[in-house]
């Protein structure tokens, strides 16, 4: 059973998400919160597997709440799925930087929301490669190269791992990476997991942002 915390300042949205998830089977909404501060407290108390998080809320927004939840002392850190509207592109990137594992629009079909929660829970990022790349190209500025490489241990990556990181940033799946580099899918997955460990990234979303910030991948390439 996947336990979920639903966070939104609109009661009707919380009700809709709760009903969709509760009717899906295998998912249980264990808590709700109406703002970011409540969300941080509820995440610690309820030990939810997934937090479905709105961005714009009173007292504390979803970005700050996501950051606090991910950095929390609990050994069981939930994964965060951002509920968003098309007007919040810049905030989506900020939320991914804060530790969110993906995003989905509030106008999504019920089955898409259920699938999103299950995807996040399984440890995968919920990213549309095209949409995510477009967002990052608009809102992520490359940082000083030396700073990124030192702070995120990019210098520890092997040449092959850097190749894999570039392909991840371009939206390729493990299967596609394997085909591009003429390696097995298992080897591709192993490379991705090692990269995450070396640069302290939670999932592919953060690898994509890191690749752009470091200059390994440039806008339009």
């Amino acid at each position: 059973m996947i336990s979920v915390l639903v966070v939104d300042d609109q009661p009707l949205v919380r009700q809709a998400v709760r009903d969709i998830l509760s009717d899906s089977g295998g998912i249980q909404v264990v808590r709700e919160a109406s703002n970011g501060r409540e969300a941080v407290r509820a995440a610690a108390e309820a030990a939810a597997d997934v937090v479905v998080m709105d961005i714009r809320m009173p007292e504390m927004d979803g970005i700050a709440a996501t950051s606090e939840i991910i950095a929390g002392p609990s050994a069981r850190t939930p994964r965060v799925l951002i509920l968003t509207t098309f007007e919040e592109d810049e905030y989506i990137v900020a939320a991914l930087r804060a530790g969110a594992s993906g995003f989905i629009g509030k106008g999504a079909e019920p089955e898409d929301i259920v699938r999103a929660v299950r995807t996040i829970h399984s440890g995968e990022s919920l990213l549309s490669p095209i949409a995510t790349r477009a967002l990052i190209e608009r809102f992520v500025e490359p940082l000083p190269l030396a700073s990124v490489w030192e702070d995120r241990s990019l210098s520890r990556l092997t040449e092959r791992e850097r190749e894999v990181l570039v392909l991840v940033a371009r939206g390729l799946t493990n299967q596609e990476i394997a085909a591009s580099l003429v390696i097995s899918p298992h080897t591709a997955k192993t490379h991705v997991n090692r990269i995450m460990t070396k640069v302290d990234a939670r999932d592919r979303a953060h690898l994509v942002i890191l690749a752009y910030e470091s200059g390994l991948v440039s806008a339009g390439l």
Side-chain angles (χ1 to χ4, degrees):
M1 183 70 70
I2 302 172
S3 59
V4 176
L5 164 63
V6 177
V7 186
D8 198 291
D9 62 333
Q10 300 180 49
L12 285 178
V13 174
R14 294 199 307 272
Q15 176 74 47
V17 174
R18 181 174 67 243
D19 290 347
I20 289 169
L21 297 179
S22 298
D23 291 343
S24 67
I27 300 176
Q28 180 182 13
V29 176
V30 293
R31 288 284 290 272
E32 295 180 27
S34 61
N35 61 62
R37 199 163 302 285
E38 288 182 9
V40 173
R41 184 167 57 251
E45 295 172 354
D49 298 313
V50 176
V51 180
V52 179
M53 180 81 75
D54 188 21
I55 291 181
R56 297 181 183 177
M57 295 180 292
E59 295 193 36
M60 177 186 286
D61 65 26
I63 298 169
T66 295
S67 181
E68 288 204 20
I69 289 171
I70 297 301
S74 174
R76 182 183 175 184
T77 304
R79 292 186 169 266
V80 178
L81 171 67
I82 295 296
L83 270 180
T84 180
T85 63
F86 291 115
E87 293 79 18
E88 297 174 328
D89 286 355
E90 185 173 3
Y91 299 104
I92 295 171
V93 173
L96 293 175
R97 275 178 164 156
S101 294
F103 57 91
I104 189 168
K106 289 187 176 181
E109 295 296 323
E111 58 268 26
D112 292 331
I113 295 176
V114 172
R115 189 180 304 113
V117 168
R118 289 179 173 153
T119 298
I120 293 294
H121 178 256
S122 72
E124 296 293 325
S125 297
L126 186 73
L127 300 172
S128 161
I130 295 175
T132 304
R133 183 173 175 181
L135 287 174
I136 290 173
E137 288 188 356
R138 286 173 60 194
F139 298 112
V140 174
E141 293 292 334
L143 298 176
L145 190 60
S147 172
V148 176
W149 282 64
E150 180 179 351
D151 293 346
R152 300 301 298 272
S153 302
L154 284 182
S155 60
R156 297 174 57 196
L157 299 183
T158 65
E159 183 176 350
R160 176 46 60 93
E161 287 168 347
R162 291 173 199 161
E163 290 179 313
V164 172
L165 178 55
V166 168
L167 296 179
V168 169
R170 290 175 177 163
L172 274 65
T173 65
N174 288 344
Q175 291 277 0
E176 292 167 337
I177 291 171
S180 176
L181 299 179
V182 196
I183 58 178
S184 71
H186 175 75
T187 299
K189 182 178 180 180
T190 298
H191 280 311
V192 172
N193 289 338
R194 284 178 178 169
I195 294 168
M196 288 183 187
T197 299
K198 286 184 178 181
V199 303
D200 193 26
R202 283 175 54 81
D203 51 36
R204 297 174 91 95
H206 308 129
L207 292 182
V208 174
I209 291 176
L210 178 61
Y212 276 89
E213 287 183 335
S214 68
L216 283 177
V217 176
S218 301
L221 297 181

